[in-house]
Amino acid sequence: MTVGMAILQPVVALAAWTMVMWFWLYGTRIPAMSAAKVDPEELAEDPSISLDNLLPPQVQWKAHNYNHLHEAPTVFYAVAIVLAIIGQGDGLNAQVGWAYVGFRVAHSLVQATINKLNLRFGLFALSTFCLMFLVARAAMALF
């Protein structure tokens, strides 16, 4: 692997995890929608109808987490790519990238299964500290 590129491994790992959550989301949501006799066309036509009100919370937790994987992780993807481009994606930065991914996967598992808010927040905070560290490292290298 080229110098600085190790941080791209956790990038791909998190993208792959996001796809796992997609399968888990639809693997639970489609049967739940069928059981609840939800009409997808009615959902599309009436914005006041919410699946949060129609499906069991345990089903929606996976959907909420899938959405969360498209929020803060986008900053991770951007900063990791910057670090790789400038040759700073190895060593400690790559290790912190893996820690970020580990905390995000743990956050997903908690949210999708038991959804304990205090535990979720703790994992989210730890992942955010990793992200802040990577942003600071990229800023120090570039400015």
Side-chain angles (χ1 to χ4, degrees):
M1 190 174 292
T2 308
V3 173
M5 297 295 175
I7 200 162
L8 296 179
Q9 291 174 328
V11 165
V12 172
L14 188 57
W17 177 253
T18 302
M19 298 304 100
V20 168
M21 287 304 303
W22 183 90
F23 281 107
W24 195 0
L25 153 65
Y26 284 105
T28 55
R29 180 182 267 183
I30 291 172
M33 287 177 65
S34 180
K37 298 184 181 9
V38 174
D39 178 6
E41 293 303 318
E42 189 177 353
L43 285 174
E45 294 170 5
D46 187 351
S48 69
I49 299 173
S50 169
L51 287 178
D52 283 329
N53 297 328
L54 299 174
L55 300 180
Q58 295 82 353
V59 171
Q60 286 301 94
W61 294 343
K62 286 119 183 111
H64 296 161
N65 184 262
Y66 181 74
N67 290 338
H68 294 163
L69 288 170
H70 291 87
E71 294 169 352
T74 60
V75 177
F76 170 69
Y77 296 138
V79 75
I81 291 167
V82 166
L83 288 166
I85 289 170
I86 65 174
Q88 299 289 314
D90 293 329
L92 182 60
N93 290 338
Q95 292 170 351
V96 173
W98 278 113
Y100 179 79
V101 171
F103 289 130
R104 290 308 307 214
V105 169
H107 176 272
S108 291
L109 292 172
V110 167
Q111 185 171 19
T113 57
I114 60 174
N115 204 20
K116 297 297 181 194
L117 191 57
N118 287 338
L119 181 54
R120 267 182 52 206
F121 176 74
L123 292 166
F124 177 76
L126 290 170
S127 72
T128 301
F129 293 140
C130 291
L131 189 53
M132 289 175 184
F133 176 85
L134 293 172
V135 169
R137 297 277 290 206
M140 288 188 303
L142 285 171
F143 297 103

